[in-house]
Amino acid sequence: MAVYTEVAFDEAAALLGALDLGELTALRGIEGGIENTNYFATTTEGEWVLTLFERLTHAQLPFYLHLMKHLARHGVPVPDPQAKREGARVGPGEDAILHTLCGKPAAVVNRLHGKSELAPGPAHCAAVGHMLARAHLAARDYDRRQPNLRGLAWWNDTVPVVLPYLDAAQSALIRAELAYQNHVAAGSAYAALPRGAVHADLFRDNVMFTGTAEQPALSGFFDFYFAGVDTWLFDLAVTLNDWAIDLPTGRTDAARTRALLDAYQAVRPLTGAERRLLPAMLRAGALRFWLSRLWDFHLPREASMLKPHDPTHFERVLRQRVTTPLHA
């Protein structure tokens, strides 16, 4: 959600007009994430989010956009990609919900209502666990396939790139964890894990709530642009590693963990293989985000409003997951 590509007001207005979304009245760059360029766009017809994709290609993006469409049709509250007006020409190889702006792939989605909860309680975690399980089940018949682009293959490629920036203890930890995750992925228990399209980045700032702190109502998941086909357990682990963690220490918060896991399993109980591998996947989720934050921090791209995340947070989480494993 940094701004890598500056979009002129008139350029955005032309795209929104072509999508029959009204006349643009305000355009504001969004501060927060680090992967794509995002703007809030206000028109006479409503509130929208305009995204320009800085790394993903025209060929990769239909997987993400149609996944959101699929989940929305199954009652999961997600942003709805806006299509070219009915009857508009869509050429060979083009997609009606994928656009081009400033030479970059672009999408426009409706802006969700509510706000993110950055200090969640058990009730928020229960709502997230319930909806995550629903999303996994809803995606069972999603027929597009694309691997998790930040999965094990990316970890193997990226660890050597960040090693020069680590001290001896960090280097030993990341090497050992990568070897462990390669070992886990080669096993029969891992092969037995249920899998499908997953969000893979369901952090606190990617969920919206309405209601009250005591009775929150989950109003939407968003930012699906790290999604891919992976194990449902990995997606659950990534979610637990943010929603059910004490941020200063990286330690497990027992009440939030139980709330999220119980709500998830009320919809989709974990299999035996998932129960056995939950500690390993919690470590995998911590490694994935420690590694990506190291990469973004030490090898940043220039962008307006860019604020790289602190890599040491997920180093702490990983050390906690190794020394104090959580069992389902």
Side-chain angles (χ1 to χ4, degrees):
M1 295 181 190
V3 175
Y4 298 98
T5 302
E6 298 286 346
V7 177
F9 187 93
D10 290 348
E11 292 175 304
L15 174 59
L16 291 158
L19 298 177
D20 282 340
L21 299 180
E23 180 181 349
L24 183 65
T25 59
L27 185 69
R28 177 168 62 88
I30 302 176
E31 180 181 0
I34 57 176
E35 193 68 16
N36 300 309
T37 291
N38 287 269
Y39 286 87
F40 286 134
T42 303
T43 73
T44 52
E45 298 295 326
E47 298 281 339
W48 315 95
V49 177
L50 166 64
T51 299
L52 277 68
F53 300 97
E54 302 292 345
R55 283 182 168 144
L56 296 169
T57 67
H58 281 88
Q60 293 168 329
L61 279 160
F63 174 87
Y64 308 97
L65 300 176
H66 286 279
L67 175 59
M68 287 188 277
K69 282 282 190 187
H70 180 90
L71 293 175
R73 285 196 297 268
H74 284 75
V76 180
V78 298
D80 185 13
Q82 301 299 297
K84 295 179 174 70
R85 66 166 62 95
E86 188 174 348
R89 179 182 176 277
V90 179
E94 294 183 3
D95 194 291
I97 58 178
L98 177 59
H99 319 296
T100 300
L101 190 64
C102 302
K104 305 281 181 71
V108 177
V109 301
N110 58 302
R111 184 175 176 180
L112 297 173
H113 295 292
K115 63 180 181 178
S116 295
E117 178 52 69
L118 301 184
H124 299 95
C125 294
V128 169
H130 174 86
M131 193 61 70
L132 181 62
R134 284 185 53 194
H136 288 165
L137 295 179
R140 284 179 298 185
D141 59 348
Y142 183 59
D143 58 2
R144 293 176 183 255
R145 290 291 178 266
Q146 184 162 282
N148 176 1
L149 300 180
R150 293 289 179 91
L152 183 61
W154 186 82
W155 308 346
N156 282 315
D157 289 342
T158 307
V159 164
V161 176
V162 303
L163 280 176
Y165 302 98
L166 305 184
D167 63 28
Q170 292 171 322
S171 179
L173 175 62
I174 207 166
R175 287 175 185 269
E177 190 59 36
L178 183 61
Y180 174 71
Q181 292 300 331
N182 275 286
H183 172 74
V184 169
S188 58
Y190 181 82
L193 295 177
R195 65 194 64 216
V198 299
H199 187 284
D201 189 31
L202 196 61
F203 280 36
R204 304 175 192 197
D205 55 356
N206 287 334
V207 181
M208 302 288 272
F209 292 94
T210 58
T212 65
E214 295 75 22
Q215 294 184 306
L218 195 157
S219 56
F221 289 171
F222 63 99
D223 199 358
F224 276 78
Y225 304 119
F226 282 116
V229 174
D230 207 324
T231 67
W232 289 339
L233 186 63
F234 177 76
D235 205 21
L236 177 59
V238 167
T239 306
L240 284 165
N241 275 349
D242 185 64
W243 288 86
I245 286 293
D246 176 63
L247 294 180
T249 64
R251 296 192 183 106
T252 298
D253 182 290
R256 284 184 276 147
T257 297
R258 179 173 294 278
L260 200 155
L261 278 173
D262 285 353
Y264 183 94
Q265 292 200 91
V267 178
R268 190 191 77 82
L270 297 179
T271 67
E274 287 176 310
R275 287 176 173 273
R276 289 192 296 275
L277 284 183
L278 178 59
M281 289 300 99
L282 289 166
R283 289 169 60 170
L287 173 64
R288 178 262 186 260
F289 283 95
W290 183 28
L291 184 54
S292 63
R293 289 188 176 190
L294 284 167
W295 189 47
D296 289 327
F297 188 84
H298 293 293
L299 301 162
R301 296 171 292 159
E302 289 190 9
S304 172
M305 305 165 65
L306 177 60
K307 292 183 179 180
H309 295 297
D310 177 13
T312 60
H313 169 65
F314 274 104
E315 179 187 352
R316 290 192 296 271
V317 175
L318 177 57
R319 292 186 185 280
Q320 289 290 336
R321 292 307 195 191
V322 171
T323 59
T324 313
L326 172 70
H327 297 280

